[in-house]
Amino acid sequence: DVPSASSPAPSVSETSSSPSPTAAPTLSACTSGATLVSLSIPSVGINDALSPQGLNAQGELEPPPRNTIWYTGSPLPGQPGVSVIAGHDEWSGPSNFWNLDEVKNGAAIFVKCKSTILTFKVTNSYSELKTDKAHNKDAQHDTSIWNFDGSISSPELAVITCDKHSPVVNHHHLSNFVVHATLVSVTRS
């Protein structure tokens, strides 16, 4: 199982790309065809099953109510680049990512895929307007989330929800809340 708030942190298990003691460790990731199982952020009480999902007909990432999804247009967790995981903060009341905005830098995020637990460490979090016409940008084209240009080669995670503190227009929050994390260890379960 993926660690929960009451579980001890998993042990670190890394493989080295070279027998040299000075070589940087190479961390294994979820592999193509692997089954994603769950996402856990114990510090804020999130422990959800993961489902793969692409964009809707409008070209938007819209998780089903009370579901946590991995965006299939992003790398699998642990692969080079930014793997995107999304869920709702509210849906007719608090939802699965209600407490995401309380996560702190340094907090652990666990992603389980088949027989592997990937441990990520939160590096930053922020609220971002979904569309900022004044600065000619929008969250759907933010390269720090989507890595369209391939400039992010390390395994990273972006966990996204609506920012529950942002204004609501036509039943939609105007901002997203984004948590970034980097891969720190891989454990076989």
Side-chain angles (χ1 to χ4, degrees), residues 112-127:
K112 183 170 184 182
C113 101
K114 211 168 186 178
S115 60
T116 303
I117 297 173
L118 306 172
T119 303
F120 292 83
K121 178 180 166 186
V122 174
T123 55
N124 69 338
S125 59
Y126 55 92
S127 178

Side-chain angles (χ1 to χ4, degrees), residues 66-126:
R66 304 195 191 300
N67 281 272
T68 299
I69 62 103
W70 160 69
Y71 170 51
T72 58
S74 70
L76 279 162
Q79 296 283 338
V82 181
S83 179
V84 177
I85 294 178
H88 290 284
D89 65 340
E90 54 186 329
W91 193 276
S92 300
S95 195
N96 49 333
F97 280 10
W98 180 255
N99 294 328
L100 185 63
D101 63 346
E102 297 174 14
V103 73
K104 304 287 187 228
N105 285 353
I109 297 177
F110 303 100
V111 175
K112 183 170 184 182
C113 101
K114 211 168 186 178
S115 60
T116 303
I117 297 173
L118 306 172
T119 303
F120 292 83
K121 178 180 166 186
V122 174
T123 55
N124 69 338
S125 59
Y126 55 92

